[in-house]
Amino acid sequence: MTTLKLPGLIDGHVHLREPGATHKEDYVTGTAAALAGGFTCVLDMPNNTPPITNAETLAAKQHLARSHARCDYGLHLGAGADNVQTAQALAPQVTGLKLYLDQTFGPLRLDDLASLVQHLERWPADRPVLCHAEGRTVAACILVAHLTGRQVHICHVSRQDEIELIRRAKEKGLNVTCEVTPHHFFLTDEFANTIGFGRSEVRPRLAQEADRQALRSNLEAIDCFATDHAPHTRAEKDAPNPPPGFPGLETALPLYLELVREGVISIEQLIDRVVYNPRRLFQLPDQPETWIEIDPDEDWIVRGSELQTRAKWTPFEGWTMRGRVRRVMLRGVEAYRAGEVLAPPGFGRDVRASAS
Ligand code: NCD
Ligand code: ZN
């Protein structure tokens, strides 16, 4: 058995569903999934019920995360039409401001141009703004960010026209960063024929083979890899009107390593995208005495029923994955070993704790 030691992975985009939808996931199960997948820090999205858009909802979520999370975490704040000033005041306590500009799961949504401009104008220029933006909305975000003199991060880029536009904007020196998910690197719209419509529903939608290839050939324009871990129950996915989203924390690393084996990316470039770039972008503290040990050659078959996520399913059911996390050390403590999550609920720290 070979052992490869890597820094703890960072995922800038997860949905751990607490509060409001703990039948799908909560901090205890979601951060167990994170550790099992080799992630020692995850940044949690604000599309909860209720959405995290003000001091009250943020404080309630901070309290839940503090008592339940097993790995380190940060919270992103949600942008609404009426919280421009409130958001600005809460910036020190969160890892970013998330703007939902296109259709996805939950009611948190910004529809008008004026709100986009106001949020980008008022949110502190040295703190990250993250946009769910697809198609033409990507262009709108990049322009408004440029005009307001700030950075913008485009979440889960999935299409050729989007990644090429971002690459061109970067070449012009515009301050835009982006992330891509493992599922958009590996799956296309045809995959619905394999796992069915409901299970394959995700935002952004699975795209075409040309899009998948374009993501792979534009790696230098992709700053971060992020799972967009978005668990829903099997019953919800198999019912009429299935909610979009895939669990992804426990299958991400072997898929990222597959990109290395396929020659799409080097291991150093991978580590930049799953550790150093997200740490810099989201201004995360260093995690001392933190690393993961993986067996890069171990083959294992993915079984949803064996995963830590409460959703207990995966779009990659039955796939043979190569590369497995054996051990996770988090701040000097053994947090995971060989299938067992050892860090207790409450062990995880809020990366912005000193501000809240
Ligand atoms: C996410 C969810 O379920 O919260 N769903 C998804 O398909 N990605 C929302 C999101 O990230 O857009
Ligand atoms: Zn998401």
Side-chain angles (χ1 to χ4, degrees), residues 13-15 45 47 98 100 104 132 156 203 228-230:
H13 188 152
V14 302
H15 302 262
M45 286 294 170
N47 62 333
K98 177 73 184 284
Y100 288 94
T104 188
H132 177 142
H156 39 49
R203 295 294 176 275
D228 190 13
H229 177 82

Side-chain angles (χ1 to χ4, degrees), residues 152-170:
V152 69
H153 178 77
I154 309 294
C155 293
H156 39 49
V157 175
S158 63
R159 292 180 41 168
Q160 179 172 8
D161 47 6
E162 297 164 351
I163 194 63
E164 288 179 353
L165 190 81
I166 291 168
R167 192 192 67 214
R168 290 171 66 179
K170 284 174 174 253

Side-chain angles (χ1 to χ4, degrees), residues 161-240:
D161 47 6
E162 297 164 351
I163 194 63
E164 288 179 353
L165 190 81
I166 291 168
R167 192 192 67 214
R168 290 171 66 179
K170 284 174 174 253
E171 284 165 2
K172 292 275 184 199
L174 299 187
N175 199 353
V176 54
T177 55
C178 72
E179 71 192 25
V180 171
T181 69
H183 46 275
H184 291 113
F185 275 126
F186 283 89
L187 307 177
T188 65
D189 53 356
E190 312 245 303
F191 196 56
N193 300 326
T194 310
I195 62 168
F197 167 74
R199 299 267 176 137
S200 70
E201 269 285 83
V202 67
R203 295 294 176 275
R205 287 193 167 85
L206 296 178
Q208 303 194 340
E209 180 58 18
D211 297 303
R212 195 176 79 93
Q213 292 303 338
L215 298 176
R216 289 163 170 247
S217 56
N218 281 287
L219 251 306
E220 76 288 354
I222 300 169
D223 302 272
C224 306
F225 293 173
T227 64
D228 190 13
H229 177 82
H232 300 284
T233 67
R234 282 165 298 182
E236 289 166 337
K237 294 294 279 182
D238 295 340

Side-chain angles (χ1 to χ4, degrees), residues 56-136:
E56 223 183 311
T57 48
L58 178 61
K61 187 167 177 174
Q62 282 167 337
H63 176 74
L64 292 167
R66 194 181 307 131
S67 29
H68 297 159
R70 301 167 182 265
C71 72
D72 294 349
Y73 60 90
L75 307 182
H76 294 313
L77 189 71
D82 53 5
N83 75 338
V84 175
Q85 283 178 24
T86 310
Q88 187 187 7
L90 296 173
Q93 298 184 47
V94 298
T95 40
L97 179 69
K98 177 73 184 284
L99 281 66
Y100 288 94
L101 301 165
D102 283 301
Q103 190 270 332
T104 188
F105 179 68
L108 190 57
R109 175 80 191 261
L110 265 196
D111 277 317
D112 62 304
L113 179 59
S115 300
L116 169 63
V117 174
Q118 285 165 18
H119 272 295
L120 267 56
E121 251 166 1
R122 296 293 295 270
W123 184 253
D126 61 347
R127 298 280 173 155
V129 159
L130 304 88
C131 290
H132 177 142
E134 299 184 38
R136 288 177 291 186

